[in-house]
Amino acid sequence: MTGSIAAIGAGIAVIGASFGIGWIGSKAMESIARQPEAVNDIRSNMILMAALVEGVALIAIVLSIFLT
């Protein structure tokens, strides 16, 4: 029973991270379309935020596996 709960928690973490990274990419592309001269700043901020979201998802997956 605890293995299935961990799998559900890990799945929710992955789904949430994928939506978050997709949203970050979408908004970054909109921002670049509006201000093409700020592409380097927007890109670096996008990569930083995507890495932070991915880190949180990884922590959530590890915690869901270890705490059950």
Side-chain angles (χ1 to χ4, degrees):
M1 179 67 178
T2 60
S4 61
I5 294 173
I8 290 171
I12 290 172
V14 168
I15 290 171
S18 66
F19 281 131
I21 292 173
W23 186 73
I24 290 169
S26 166
K27 294 301 177 179
M29 292 301 109
E30 286 180 19
S31 299
I32 290 171
R34 290 175 190 237
Q35 291 188 340
E37 66 275 1
V39 67
N40 291 329
D41 293 334
I42 295 169
R43 185 184 306 131
S44 63
N45 287 333
M46 179 188 70
I47 291 171
L48 176 67
M49 295 311 300
L52 291 174
V53 169
E54 192 71 28
V56 168
L58 182 63
I59 290 170
I61 290 170
V62 169
L63 287 178
S64 71
I65 291 170
F66 285 142
L67 292 180
T68 56

